[in-house]
Amino acid sequence: MAMSAEELSAQLFRSTIGALEMNSVYLGKQLGYYRAMADGTAITAGELAVRTGTAARYTWHTRRCGA
């Protein structure tokens, strides 16, 4: 059964979003963001940046992780 152009487009979009999310997770792990948030307390992007030695502007993806 062949996919319609709309179905194919939707599948490609979902796959792209998934790949981008995996990249964010990888970067967060490499930069130590998850380790810095492991105690479960809420912190700001600035506090996360200080804990990890990164710039606050690079912590944008942590909003998706509940920080």
Side-chain angles (χ1 to χ4, degrees):
M1 186 154 127
M3 279 187 176
S4 71
E6 287 181 15
E7 291 171 326
L8 178 59
S9 176
Q11 178 62 40
L12 289 172
F13 179 77
R14 287 190 301 271
S15 295
T16 300
I17 294 300
L20 292 172
E21 288 178 346
M22 290 302 298
N23 188 49
S24 290
V25 170
Y26 174 77
L27 289 173
K29 183 172 180 346
Q30 295 296 21
L31 294 171
Y33 292 167
Y34 300 109
R35 189 173 314 141
M37 296 186 292
D39 64 5
T41 59
I43 59 174
T44 66
E47 292 168 328
L48 181 60
V50 169
R51 288 185 188 185
T52 59
T54 59
R57 68 177 178 237
Y58 298 127
T59 64
W60 63 268
H61 89 281
T62 59
R63 287 181 219 132
R64 296 193 48 94
C65 305

